[in-house]
């Protein structure tokens, strides 16, 4: 059974940085996927980034390319999302999600990443 726990959310001023972490269990060391989604106020949940376990292939949503970086610590069963140059419009709940049997991280969709964490709040003030 896949289990995901997010940590690292919080409040930051615009231009600042946060690092989210997702600690997982029940995934293979190679060939599964872990990703991040977010739900901004008044919007549908949207993809942020995904990564394959082991090989570390990545995929990013256009909205955050160049500002966010997804990475993994395989030995610790952990995936991070480093978020830099944060904007108030990045405010929302960020979810870790996982998919099984992924050879590629994209497309990062809720259909492929169908195991979910509880979410962590990120608030960016202007």
């Amino acid at each position: 059974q896949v289990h995901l726990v997010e940590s690292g959310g919080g409040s930051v001023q615009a231009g600042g940085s946060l690092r989210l972490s997702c600690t997982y269990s029940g995934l293979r060391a190679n060939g599964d996927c872990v990703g991040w989604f977010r739900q901004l106020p008044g919007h549908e949940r949207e993809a942020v980034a995904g990564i394959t376990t082991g090989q570390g292939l990545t995929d990013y949503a256009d909205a955050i390319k160049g500002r966010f970086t997804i990475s993994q610590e395989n030995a610790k069963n952990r995936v991070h999302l480093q978020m830099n140059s944060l904007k108030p419009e990045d405010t929302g709940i960020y979810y870790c999600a996982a998919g099984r049997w992924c050879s590629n991280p994209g497309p990062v969709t809720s259909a492929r990443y169908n195991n979910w964490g509880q979410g962590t709040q990120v608030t960016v003030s202007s």
Side-chain angles (χ1 to χ4, degrees):
Q1 188 172 355
V2 178
H3 189 57
L4 306 160
V5 179
E6 302 97 336
S7 60
S11 297
V12 66
Q13 288 196 319
S17 298
L18 281 173
R19 189 174 85 153
L20 306 182
S21 296
C22 175
T23 303
Y24 60 83
S25 60
L27 297 178
R28 299 176 303 159
N30 290 280
D32 286 337
C33 288
V34 181
W36 290 95
F37 291 73
R38 66 184 183 181
Q39 187 155 20
L40 311 182
H43 290 78
E44 302 266 327
R45 193 175 296 184
E46 63 183 27
V48 174
I51 189 167
T52 56
T53 58
Q55 196 170 3
L57 300 176
T58 59
D59 192 71
Y60 292 95
D62 288 342
I64 55 82
K65 274 182 185 175
R67 297 192 298 126
F68 293 7
T69 303
I70 191 169
S71 62
Q72 61 179 340
E73 285 187 85
N74 258 10
K76 294 184 178 180
N77 284 4
R78 204 170 288 168
V79 167
H80 305 290
L81 184 70
Q82 178 67 42
M83 305 187 295
N84 298 328
S85 303
L86 282 162
K87 306 174 183 179
E89 52 264 41
D90 293 316
T91 294
I93 302 173
Y94 284 68
Y95 296 90
C96 180
R100 306 302 309 276
W101 307 98
C102 296
S103 56
N104 281 295
V108 182
T109 66
S110 55
R112 297 184 73 228
Y113 291 71
N114 54 7
N115 299 277
W116 294 88
Q118 298 277 38
T120 186
Q121 176 71 41
V122 170
T123 303
V124 185
S125 57
S126 57

